[in-house]
Amino acid sequence: MISKEGKDMKPFVVNFSDIGIDFKGNHIVRKYNDIKHIFKTTDPTLERENPVIYEVFEGPIQEKEGELMFLITILYPGTVNGEFFMTKGHYHTVENTAEVYLGLRGKGLILCQTKKGEFEAVEIGPNKVVYIPPFWAHRTVNISDEPLIFFAVYPAHAGHDYETVEKEGFKKRIFRGDNGILFVEQ
Ligand code: S6P
Ligand code: ZN
């Protein structure tokens, strides 16, 4: 029996497919108007149409120490006046917790930074595993023309600190350039 309260967890398997991933946990949907403040500019057409920018399908795991949360994120393709669609990004509230991403479809960048001012951008896509160490904030950017889909797993008690990123932003923004992608200092 699978219990989100975690009382009687037993080994289990969940399937996913391209249409309708059901991981039996929370389904988080972020639309443009929910997150438009994270982009450098706004786009009136996107405000009117309010598309889904990304969605997350979580496993039925209780957020407590000892458990591992797993999930799939689908980050749709597009730009806001040239700035690629991206996730809000966060530190983990319990900062000493790492995370692993496995790319399934599409192509993206994981922007990572620390409170000490270090910054790295690493690629994610099929056949790539990204390791995000403890203390590194992370934001995903879709730099392809198809949905970017990745699997992630992290300590379930980690929590998400979005406020620090909202206040400080990430060091760099990623725009579509004439010959590829452009890193723009924020
Ligand atoms: C969770 C993990 C991802 C993100 C997801 C959405 O620790 O890093 O599953 O939650 O990609 O990003 P965000 O920044 O809105 O949580
Ligand atoms: Zn995370």
Side-chain angles (χ1 to χ4, degrees):
M1 180 48 77
I2 299 167
S3 156
K4 237 193 131 187
E5 285 64 53
K7 290 247 167 66
D8 302 298
M9 292 292 277
K10 293 212 171 133
F12 66 92
V13 59
V14 286
N15 292 310
F16 66 92
S17 66
D18 287 345
I19 351 140
I21 295 168
D22 182 9
F23 267 178
K24 313 210 180 303
N26 293 327
H27 177 209
I28 300 150
V29 178
R30 304 254 195 248
K31 293 187 169 190
Y32 176 72
N33 286 328
D34 302 328
I35 59 159
K36 62 183 178 184
H37 58 280
I38 70 173
F39 296 96
K40 194 170 181 87
T41 62
T42 48
D43 178 332
T45 307
L46 289 172
E47 277 178 331
R48 202 173 48 249
E49 293 174 357
N50 198 23
V52 173
I53 306 297
Y54 61 96
E55 54 190 317
V56 179
F57 298 85
E58 292 185 348
I61 309 296
Q62 195 194 21
E63 295 180 356
K64 70 170 194 194
E65 203 163 355
E67 303 284 0
L68 290 173
M69 176 60 83
F70 65 87
L71 49 89
I72 276 183
T73 302
I74 304 179
L75 173 56
Y76 292 98
T79 68
V80 182
N81 299 311
E83 185 176 10
F84 288 110
F85 284 1
M86 60 186 176
T87 60
K88 287 168 68 166
H90 57 266
Y91 287 92
H92 290 162
T93 312
V94 180
E95 293 188 82
N96 191 19
T97 51
E99 184 153 359
V100 170
Y101 284 5
L102 167 67
L104 300 173
R105 292 278 175 93
K107 187 177 171 187
L109 290 176
I110 312 297
L111 310 185
C112 302
Q113 71 182 26
T114 65
K115 292 178 180 171
K116 288 190 276 180
E118 299 156 292
F119 177 88
E120 300 281 338
V122 294
E123 259 191 40
I124 181 108
N127 306 321
K128 288 186 198 296
V129 172
V130 174
Y131 181 69
I132 302 160
F135 301 102
W136 285 77
H138 37 288
R139 161 177 282 168
T140 309
V141 185
N142 185 349
I143 57 168
S144 71
D145 292 322
E146 58 178 313
L148 171 63
I149 306 180
F150 60 93
F151 176 86
V153 61
Y154 65 95
H157 70 297
H160 295 89
D161 166 15
Y162 293 105
E163 291 73 27
T164 306
V165 164
E166 294 215 349
K167 256 189 271 148
E168 296 170 5
F170 273 73
K171 267 195 165 174
K172 295 188 181 164
R173 296 176 171 280
I174 314 298
F175 282 77
R176 194 191 289 282
D178 289 341
N179 301 309
I181 60 167
L182 286 178
F183 284 74
V184 175
E185 297 278 334
Q186 67 150 333

